[in-house]
């Protein structure tokens, strides 16, 4: 087992401040490639991705959720579109792969909820039968970028059950 890779997974944190610098085409392509290769239920791949990099469009997108400052500051925000028949579990897997791949190449990220997802459809021109409730804000980490202090975790014994829920 690679201890480094294990530690890398455990070390993934939401980072919310980024340098004011666009992502390189190469880095963005690498992140999207990791998204594309995510496993999905029955390998259906019922997802698509809207990459938003224009400042005004990022500002409009940020209005669609309540905790979206990372979107305003991001170099790019990838909106995950759940295509008809898609599962939220698959969207979660794709989001995690985006974040891990980004970290691997030095790009910081933060998951984002768009509480008003019907507004996201309007801003991005997504048809009504698709869902776009989540995205990932991305950017090269700012000098002072640090995870939020609240970021601890529940103890294992509080969340793990053996054989039966108890
Ligand atoms: C489904 C989901 C939605 C989230 N939405 C937001 C959001 O809208 N804005 C935000 O700043 N962070 C958001 N987060 C990030 C969480 O706040 C973060 O994962 C949590 O605080 C743990 O942070 P840490 O991994 O840095 O310890 C979201 C995370 C998940 C998994």
């Amino acid at each position: 087992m690679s201890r480094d890779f294990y530690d890398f997974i455990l070390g993934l944190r939401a980072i919310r401040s980024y340098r004011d610098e666009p992502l390189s085409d190469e880095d963005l392509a690498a992140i999207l490639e990791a998204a594309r290769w995510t496993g999905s239920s029955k390998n259906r791949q019922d997802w698509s991705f809207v990459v938003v990099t224009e400042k005004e469009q990022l500002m409009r997108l940020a209005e669609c959720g309540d905790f979206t400052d990372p979107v305003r500051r991001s170099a790019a925000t990838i909106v995950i579109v759940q295509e008809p028949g898609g599962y939220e579990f698959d969207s979660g897997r794709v989001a995690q792969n985006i974040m891990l791949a980004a970290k691997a190449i030095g790009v910081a990220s933060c998951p984002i909820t768009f509480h008003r997802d019907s507004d996201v459809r309007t801003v991005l021109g997504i048809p009504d039968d698709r869902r776009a409730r989540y995205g990932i804000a991305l950017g090269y980490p700012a000098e002072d970028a640090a995870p939020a202090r609240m970021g601890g975790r529940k103890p294992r014994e509080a969340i793990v059950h053996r054989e039966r829920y108890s």
Side-chain angles (χ1 to χ4, degrees):
M1 162 177 138
S2 162
R3 182 81 214 181
D4 285 351
F5 184 53
Y6 181 78
D7 290 343
F8 177 88
I9 293 171
L10 264 60
L12 179 66
R13 295 277 83 81
I15 302 292
R16 298 179 173 82
S17 35
Y18 317 108
R19 297 206 297 272
D20 188 13
E21 181 185 331
L23 292 187
S24 71
D25 290 346
E26 191 188 19
D27 285 350
L28 185 56
I31 291 166
L32 290 166
E33 194 61 3
R36 189 172 80 85
W37 274 99
T38 304
S40 59
S41 173
K42 297 181 185 158
N43 199 24
R44 290 173 55 129
Q45 306 162 64
D46 285 326
W47 50 48
S48 56
F49 309 101
V50 182
V51 181
V52 180
T53 55
E54 290 174 9
K55 234 358 173 205
E56 285 119 55
Q57 190 69 330
L58 286 168
M59 296 301 158
R60 280 191 284 270
L61 190 59
E63 294 304 307
C64 305
D66 294 337
F67 307 105
T68 52
D69 274 347
V71 173
R72 293 187 181 89
R73 291 195 284 258
S74 69
T77 292
I78 298 177
V79 177
I80 299 167
V81 181
Q82 199 178 311
E83 298 287 326
Y87 294 102
E88 218 164 47
F89 187 88
D90 292 342
S91 297
R93 288 195 68 193
V94 99
Q96 187 78 353
N97 265 11
I98 287 172
M99 292 185 69
L100 285 169
K103 180 176 157 76
I105 58 173
V107 176
S109 66
C110 181
I112 297 294
T113 307
F114 297 111
H115 300 86
R116 294 170 288 287
D117 47 312
S118 62
D119 292 356
V120 176
R121 282 202 291 266
T122 306
V123 169
L124 302 182
I126 297 169
D128 284 352
D129 59 349
R130 272 81 166 159
R131 194 148 191 250
R133 191 169 170 79
Y134 301 103
I136 306 292
L138 298 158
Y140 299 113
E143 292 284 306
D144 58 351
R149 251 178 296 143
M150 64 182 169
R153 297 294 188 263
K154 294 177 181 175
R156 209 182 320 159
E157 55 274 18
I159 55 171
V160 178
H161 308 270
R162 300 295 290 261
E163 316 313 336
R164 288 176 61 79
Y165 186 98
S166 55

